Amino acid sequence: MIVILKPKTPKEQVEEVIDEVAKLGYKPHPIYGELQTVVAAIGDERTHHTLESLIVLPQVERVMPVQKRYKLASRESQDGDTVVDVDGVRIGNGHFALMAGPCSVESEEQLLSTARAVKARGAQILRGGAYKPRTSPYEFQGLGKEGLRLLDVARRETGLKIITEVLSERDVELVGDTADILQIGARNAQNYRLLIECARSRKPVLLKRGMSERIEEWLLAAEYLLANGNPNVLLCERGIRTFETYTRNTLDLAAVAIAKKESHLPVIVDPSQGCGRADLVRVLCRGAVAMGADGLLIEVHPHPAEALSDGQQQVDFEVFSRLVEDLPPFLAAASRTLA
Ligand code: PEP
Ligand code: MN
């Protein structure tokens, strides 16, 4: 931390700041300028008491952190990119993952036909919500346990790995029995009890960015998973809420580039929640790959018009085919390979 004192602060007031810095567990290093004094506080800011409260002293002009608040999620903590191994499907460090399937698991026919279609077109991982976080309590809430059973049937038949959302810390064990990847949704992005419980499961976790979550907060949420012993973390950009009304959310592709720069963790893009419009999913997939994403999470439905959730943003098999056919030059340009 750097503590900047106001110009012409008398010596005894500088001493007061130095004493406070030492009291809070840091080694103070005063730097006396002609006009202004700066006190560098040496110590690990991530685990020490924060010095930001020193701003209440009248002689303090500003307190500036030097270190990032996340440690394990940061590139500083590890050389090279993390590879998350999802039961044999590797994601990260050049390995690109295609995850696709319906927003919600609705029926055996709907799920299995989608699983077969996305597998035939190159997906390695099947998505499908059994427990749905719906804005209204009157909307379809998911099939629950029956949805998990159907996901299991789809895995056995197709060999696809399964990603599905866990809504509550009470369900982590149950959902983890079926899921190869636990999805933490945007609405739970900062539910720290749930994050800790998912970390304990040691299952790979896909952590969505909250709809009004800053990148730093998103990385700190990932830090909860890492600090609680689970290194298998996938970050997922799924759009943030802005003033724009042409899209459901604003897909923040700059956040993908920033997350890749700041963190060694793989970054997945969900263009479906990201814009809320089926007609834009295809171009957003190209954009996401070009920006350096390590995977895509795409909503695909046999008859989007009949979907029980998010029908407006789900692509049909035809559009999914075309979207996948688009990807090779973008993957090559980003040095990614689809297993
Ligand atoms: C979903 O993937 O269907 C979903 C509910 O996602 P999000 O948490 O990003 O809204
Ligand atoms: Mn959805």
Side-chain angles (χ1 to χ4, degrees):
M1 290 274 195
I2 307 283
V3 185
I4 301 169
L5 305 192
K6 288 187 180 151
K8 300 189 183 142
T9 297
K11 198 160 178 3
E12 61 278 14
Q13 288 189 20
V14 174
E15 292 299 329
E16 188 192 357
V17 172
I18 292 173
D19 289 349
E20 281 299 335
V21 166
K23 229 192 269 173
L24 293 170
Y26 292 80
K27 225 170 136 214
H29 269 280
I31 302 152
Y32 299 97
E34 288 224 343
L35 209 65
Q36 238 172 332
T37 298
V38 165
V39 180
I42 315 294
D44 191 339
E45 295 166 17
R46 294 163 299 209
T47 50
H48 273 56
H49 189 289
T50 173
L51 291 183
E52 266 150 11
S53 51
L54 291 185
I55 193 68
V56 301
L57 298 177
Q59 67 271 46
V60 172
E61 187 170 277
R62 222 157 14 121
V63 182
M64 293 184 346
V66 178
Q67 289 168 336
K68 301 270 165 63
R69 291 167 76 199
Y70 42 88
K71 176 157 68 175
L72 302 170
S74 157
R75 284 217 175 261
E76 284 160 26
S77 78
Q78 145 179 342
D79 295 330
D81 287 357
T82 284
V83 176
V84 173
D85 189 323
V86 182
D87 192 23
V89 175
R90 289 154 63 78
I91 310 174
N93 196 26
H95 304 280
F96 190 87
L98 197 51
M99 314 183 191
C103 175
S104 301
V105 177
E106 298 171 7
S107 69
E108 181 158 345
E109 164 60 19
Q110 174 246 18
L111 186 67
L112 286 178
S113 63
T114 310
R116 291 179 200 123
V118 299
K119 181 177 171 156
R121 291 160 178 81
Q124 310 107 317
I125 299 169
L126 176 67
R127 66 149 288 151
Y131 294 90
K132 294 304 299 179
R134 303 308 301 281
T135 301
S136 161
Y138 306 119
E139 291 166 347
F140 179 60
Q141 304 287 308
L143 296 180
K145 281 185 188 159
E146 173 61 6
L148 294 175
R149 188 187 71 76
L150 294 175
L151 286 165
D152 202 47
V153 170
R155 183 207 349 248
R156 282 171 209 274
E157 192 201 290
T158 61
L160 289 167
K161 309 300 170 202
I162 302 295
I163 176 167
T164 193
E165 179 163 355
V166 56
L167 279 185
S168 153
E169 64 206 79
R170 287 194 303 268
D171 297 334
V172 171
E173 207 179 312
L174 175 71
V175 175
D177 284 342
T178 299
D180 297 296
I181 305 175
L182 295 168
Q183 175 175 325
I184 297 180
R187 291 156 189 80
N188 266 317
Q190 290 175 290
N191 178 342
Y192 302 118
R193 305 296 306 178
L194 175 63
L195 291 169
I196 291 169
E197 214 43 51
C198 287
R200 288 195 180 131
S201 80
R202 299 292 187 270
K203 285 254 165 192
V205 176
L206 177 134
L207 175 63
K208 297 256 190 137
R209 180 179 178 191
M211 38 188 122
S212 57
E213 196 178 27
R214 294 199 176 119
I215 295 168
E216 185 189 39
E217 294 169 319
W218 183 29
L219 293 172
L220 282 166
E223 189 79 11
Y224 264 89
L225 294 163
L226 300 168
N228 283 282
N230 192 340
N232 305 307
V233 178
L234 305 164
L235 296 167
C236 180
E237 163 59 35
R238 48 78 73 203
I240 50 174
R241 189 165 278 183
T242 70
F243 50 82
E244 185 51 69
T245 54
Y246 273 42
T247 47
R248 179 184 183 186
N249 291 297
T250 297
L251 186 67
D252 184 3
L253 287 183
V256 176
I258 293 169
K260 291 300 299 175
K261 211 168 174 166
E262 290 290 319
S263 178
H264 50 84
L265 297 171
V267 179
I268 310 300
V269 170
D270 174 346
S272 309
Q273 329 299 323
C275 68
R277 291 173 50 159
D279 64 333
L280 293 185
V281 168
R282 194 173 158 196
V283 287
L284 290 179
C285 286
R286 293 188 223 153
V289 178
M291 287 301 276
D294 299 293
L296 291 166
L297 179 67
I298 306 167
E299 289 189 343
V300 182
H301 194 286
H303 308 288
E306 295 167 18
L308 296 181
S309 61
D310 286 350
Q312 76 290 353
Q313 69 193 33
Q314 305 207 53
V315 297
D316 60 19
F317 300 164
E318 175 60 30
V319 173
F320 184 67
S321 290
R322 278 189 269 134
L323 166 172
V324 176
E325 284 159 16
D326 281 350
L327 297 181
F330 294 89
L331 288 166
S335 305
R336 301 285 190 271
T337 46
L338 181 60

